[in-house]
Amino acid sequence: MGERYAETESRVLARDCDAVSVPWGRPETLPEGAHALVTQRLGGSITVMCGGNLYRIAERDADALGLEPRAAAPRSAPAEGELDADTVERSAWEVLGTCYDPEIPIDIVNLGLVYGCTAEALPEGGFRLAVRMTLTAPGCGMGTLIADEAREKLLELPGVTEATVELAWDPPWSREMMSEAARLEMGMF
């Protein structure tokens, strides 16, 4: 499900690098020469342990870790004439499956964080997507960043002109909401 790295994936930053602290969600700069342990590389971001703290680094900054930046995985996109609410909604669920919690190598759909996703045709053309999701913990500072990432990716879908991602706390998330595949991946049989 996710790409994990062995503890031997220790890297030295080749340059100063923008990062976001996990779980607080604060922007920070990791200095050139700092040692970083890559813990996961998923959905367009890289999570590293540096100085005893976790940080999320954008894929575009992979070179700072001595890694080749990866292009986003190509998605199958329907032609404009083939778009309807059901097609857009299916594409939206696929895109949401490329968003990851930086601490857990499982996407937000399989984690059970997405409560709903609906597509609505707009009178002026295009579609509005409305997503309702939660987090594994209400105080997680990464929540806004994960929701913003999801919204940005949804707005890249053909025909989507509006997208909202609402963070909800009812019902509260529990491990039972995870897909069977996610529970197996995490060793929660």
Side-chain angles (χ1 to χ4, degrees):
M1 210 174 260
E3 182 177 345
R4 295 185 191 175
Y5 283 80
E7 291 203 21
T8 57
E9 277 295 329
S10 185
R11 303 284 178 156
V12 176
L13 287 169
R15 62 174 173 81
D16 287 355
C17 182
D18 292 333
V20 175
S21 64
V22 177
W24 301 279
R26 289 188 306 260
E28 297 195 24
T29 301
L30 299 178
E32 177 181 349
H35 291 267
L37 176 68
V38 177
T39 61
Q40 69 183 33
R41 186 177 188 184
L42 301 164
S45 67
I46 304 165
T47 302
V48 299
M49 175 74 72
C50 186
N53 297 308
L54 282 178
Y55 297 92
R56 185 175 186 176
I57 297 173
E59 182 65 40
R60 69 179 172 273
D61 289 322
D63 66 302
L65 293 163
L67 300 169
E68 276 298 313
R70 293 180 181 165
R75 293 190 191 99
S76 56
E80 283 290 330
E82 299 173 5
L83 290 178
D84 61 23
D86 288 337
T87 304
V88 170
E89 200 170 297
R90 277 193 302 278
S91 295
W93 280 101
E94 183 181 323
V95 165
L96 292 169
T98 70
C99 298
Y100 289 82
D101 181 304
E103 295 177 283
I104 306 169
I106 298 173
D107 64 87
I108 63 174
V109 173
N110 279 296
L111 270 175
L113 299 179
V114 180
Y115 289 164
C117 174
T118 57
E120 173 189 355
L122 297 170
E124 62 275 6
F127 294 87
R128 173 186 302 128
L129 285 170
V131 174
R132 188 169 177 264
M133 66 172 283
T134 194
L135 303 172
T136 56
C140 177
M142 296 301 293
T144 302
L145 293 172
I146 294 170
D148 288 347
E149 174 190 355
R151 183 178 177 280
E152 289 168 14
K153 287 182 175 183
L154 292 170
L155 286 169
E156 293 174 5
L157 286 171
V160 174
T161 57
E162 295 179 28
T164 59
V165 178
E166 172 195 4
L167 288 175
W169 308 110
D170 191 34
W173 180 83
S174 68
R175 292 178 181 179
E176 291 74 34
M177 294 174 165
M178 295 169 65
S179 70
E180 183 177 340
R183 285 194 304 274
L184 286 171
E185 174 82 12
M186 299 296 293
M188 300 174 178
F189 307 91

